[in-house]
Amino acid sequence: MNDDRDYLLISHLTQAGYCLRRAALIMNEQIWKESADTAKGRIEHSRVHTQRVERRGNEVKLYEYTVFSDVLGITGKCDCIEGTADETGCTIPSVDFPVRLYPIEYKHGKVRAEEEYEIQLCAQAMCLEEMYHTTITEGALFYTSSHRRYPVLLTEELRDKVKDTVAKLQNIREQMITPAADYGTKCKRCSLRELCMPKIGHSAEKYCKDLARAAKEADEL
């Protein structure tokens, strides 16, 4: 990993998949507010987020595993990576036999198809492919409330969405842009709704800063 490069966090891709404006507020304006759902999800994640390696026979599980891609300029952590012995697989530092990798991302709630989660999972897989010169065709989302897996095929279409999301986030970060809100039903569920102020086109923080700047300029006249 290139230490001199400013990598995007894979978690920001998830936010962008849900809402580009939300991702910009978190990434550029450092705005965050927790809701009951995000708090519960964080607590459930904390039970998994202990970096460790578990090995049983020809299988290994890597938890809280750091991944990165120099090509995409992203980095993050995988909740869990399952490695199964396979002669056609890759070699990773944690085991002394080749394995086939299968990334798993843990999510709060019931099983459902969520594109932003699939983008996150695919980004993790693309990092692993680059790091270990392998091919990963499938991963899974594990929903903690129902204790079930939702398999995700890592198609070319999904990989293109990862690349497109990365490009959009890089532009938002470099230009320090906060996109206008695409107001809809998802806004009602967003923990940043009061800070985002989706109907006025500015975040609450930026709105207050603009008012303060205008007041200061008026006083100087």
Side-chain angles (χ1 to χ4, degrees):
M1 183 171 175
N2 186 347
D3 294 334
D4 296 329
R5 187 173 175 183
D6 191 10
Y7 287 70
L8 290 170
L9 296 178
I10 293 176
S11 59
H12 288 162
L13 272 67
T14 312
Q15 302 295 345
Y18 184 80
C19 171
L20 270 178
R21 179 175 173 82
R22 178 182 170 92
L25 293 175
I26 294 171
M27 187 169 60
N28 288 347
E29 299 190 35
Q30 305 297 305
I31 290 177
W32 175 252
K33 182 178 180 181
E34 200 157 58
S35 66
D37 282 341
T38 60
K40 187 172 182 179
R42 176 177 53 78
I43 292 170
E44 290 180 352
H45 260 76
S46 67
R47 298 170 185 167
V48 180
H49 283 184
T50 301
Q51 190 172 35
R52 64 190 188 278
V53 178
E54 295 181 358
R55 180 173 173 179
R56 292 184 180 180
N58 291 331
E59 295 186 352
V60 61
K61 290 185 178 181
L62 312 173
Y63 291 93
E64 192 69 355
Y65 197 81
T66 299
V67 297
F68 64 89
S69 167
D70 289 328
V71 173
L72 294 172
I74 59 176
T75 186
K77 292 188 176 181
C78 294
D79 286 339
C80 178
I81 304 168
E82 290 184 348
T84 303
D86 189 328
E87 292 183 357
T88 64
C90 61
T91 302
I92 61 176
S94 304
V95 292
D96 55 4
F97 52 83
V99 292
R100 180 178 70 257
L101 300 180
Y102 192 90
I104 303 171
E105 180 66 18
Y106 286 69
K107 294 300 178 185
H108 163 64
K110 298 180 180 179
V111 175
R112 60 196 187 277
E114 297 283 359
E115 186 175 83
E116 61 266 29
Y117 294 163
E118 295 181 12
I119 288 173
Q120 179 184 15
L121 180 70
C122 187
Q124 294 170 355
M126 292 169 76
C127 288
L128 288 168
E129 288 177 332
E130 182 180 326
M131 291 169 64
Y132 297 118
H133 308 289
T134 189
T135 300
I136 302 173
T137 59
E138 184 180 309
L141 301 171
F142 180 81
Y143 286 90
T144 54
S145 297
S146 57
H147 299 283
R148 289 178 56 195
R149 286 187 181 185
Y150 178 82
V152 177
L153 294 178
L154 307 178
T155 63
E156 286 303 316
E157 180 183 3
L158 185 56
R159 291 167 186 270
D160 286 341
K161 288 179 181 178
V162 171
K163 296 173 185 177
D164 182 60
T165 304
V166 168
K168 288 177 179 177
L169 282 179
Q170 287 174 336
N171 183 61
I172 285 172
R173 184 177 63 183
E174 291 169 3
Q175 302 298 323
M176 288 301 290
I177 299 168
T178 301
D182 180 16
Y183 188 76
T185 55
K186 64 182 178 182
C187 296
K188 299 177 181 179
R189 305 192 307 269
C190 181
S191 63
L192 301 186
R193 183 181 178 185
E194 294 180 1
L195 298 171
C196 172
M197 301 175 70
K199 290 185 177 181
I200 69 168
H202 298 285
S203 68
E205 182 174 330
K206 188 175 188 302
Y207 180 68
C208 291
K209 285 181 178 179
D210 289 344
L211 286 179
R213 186 182 303 110
K216 182 179 180 181
E217 291 174 353
D219 290 340
E220 291 174 350
L221 293 177

